[in-house]
Amino acid sequence: EDKVVQSPLSLVVHEGDTVTLNCSYEVTNFRSLLWYKQEKKAPTFLFMLTSSGIEKKSGRLSSILDKKELFSILNITATQTGDSAVYLCASIAGGTSYGKLTFGQGTILTVHP
Amino acid sequence: KAGVTQTPRYLIKTRGQQVTLSCSPISGHRSVSWYQQTPGQGLQFLFEYFSETQRNKGNFPGRFSGRQFSNSRSEMNVSTLELGDSALYLCASSLVGHVTDTQYFGPGTRLTVL
């Protein structure tokens, strides 16, 4: 069965700190990895990674995928209180896994002023 | 472009009842996936619909069912509700459900079973 594991499960930092969130996966016929941010309700899309070693960047957030070692990291620099949320990573497999995301447990990030 | 919408946003039901939740995808999106989110199990895949056909199903009992209409709107139904069905139910839409299609989530329906 496909598995996605995130670490740490929770993290408390102060504004201005840099954080690194980890996501490892064991997925048969792996195709893509996605990162989402969930604050109150709907997870909002951050990144999709399909190729190894290519960094995706958006402002203070960046992410990279290592398909050899089967993991991804999400970096947030100069954290702000608005970054407080649950960060979810999810994998997509090929074959007949239409529309199915397999999620990790999430990392709860708390940023104090 | 309007996002994914879900109705109702909150529901309270009692054990044994049934419930129907609705999801309207982003305009032009034809794939709709449903997920259950609970504190203990996290986000778990229920099923996916494309062109009114269920193409994929997660490991949930037959009490959980769904359908999709010709305008891509989707409904999910849970019959004979159990206490453990209390959860946030999220739907997500994508263009065609391809492995490189991003899924965009709706705000969810919070179901409480008493």
Side-chain angles (χ1 to χ4, degrees):
Chain A
E1 187 174 322
D2 295 343
K3 195 174 176 184
V4 177
V5 177
Q6 293 185 243
S7 65
L9 293 182
S10 67
L11 192 54
V12 179
V13 300
H14 287 93
E15 272 191 320
D17 289 349
T18 293
V19 299
T20 297
L21 310 183
N22 304 294
C23 175
S24 64
Y25 60 90
E26 294 175 28
V27 176
T28 302
N29 199 10
F30 170 86
R31 299 298 293 272
S32 307
L33 189 130
L34 294 88
W35 285 95
Y36 288 87
K37 176 183 181 183
Q38 186 174 26
E39 292 176 87
K40 295 289 185 185
K41 298 286 185 197
T44 53
F45 171 73
L46 295 174
F47 299 112
M48 174 184 274
L49 303 147
T50 56
S51 300
S52 200
I54 296 176
E55 184 180 24
K56 290 266 182 109
K57 200 168 166 63
S58 176
R60 297 176 294 103
L61 277 66
S62 64
S63 184
I64 197 161
L65 175 68
D66 187 326
K67 289 172 86 170
K68 184 180 175 186
E69 301 297 330
L70 309 183
F71 76 90
S72 175
I73 61 172
L74 175 70
N75 279 319
I76 308 175
T77 59
T79 52
Q80 303 170 355
T81 54
D83 295 327
S84 296
V86 178
Y87 290 85
L88 297 160
C89 77
S91 66
I92 298 180
T96 56
S97 294
Y98 298 108
K100 176 183 178 182
L101 294 175
T102 299
F103 282 89
Q105 322 94 297
T107 294
I108 303 171
L109 173 65
T110 304
V111 182
H112 288 310
Chain B
K1 200 184 241 189
V4 179
T5 58
Q6 291 186 245
T7 57
R9 295 293 306 279
Y10 301 91
L11 264 180
I12 299 175
K13 293 285 187 180
T14 55
R15 277 181 299 174
Q17 288 187 309
Q18 75 164 22
V19 67
T20 299
L21 312 181
S22 180
C23 172
S24 292
I26 291 170
S27 178
H29 284 193
R30 295 165 61 197
S31 168
V32 174
S33 297
W34 288 89
Y35 297 86
Q36 181 195 65
Q37 186 173 31
T38 60
Q41 299 297 318
L43 268 153
Q44 293 186 291
F45 173 77
L46 282 156
F47 30 65
E48 186 260 5
Y49 284 87
F50 175 79
S51 288
E52 302 178 65
T53 300
Q54 184 185 90
R55 294 191 300 187
N56 200 1
K57 189 177 189 312
N59 296 324
F60 279 82
R63 300 185 296 107
F64 292 82
S65 63
R67 59 178 175 168
Q68 187 180 37
F69 302 93
S70 58
N71 62 356
S72 296
R73 189 177 71 83
S74 177
E75 289 181 347
M76 68 163 279
N77 184 276
V78 188
S79 63
T80 319
L81 284 166
E82 300 177 0
L83 294 178
D85 297 333
S86 294
L88 180 65
Y89 290 88
L90 293 159
C91 78
S93 74
S94 68
L95 281 170
V96 293
H98 189 264
V99 292
T100 57
D101 284 347
T102 299
Q103 289 189 26
Y104 296 92
F105 284 83
T109 295
R110 172 72 63 184
L111 172 65
T112 302
V113 182
L114 303 175

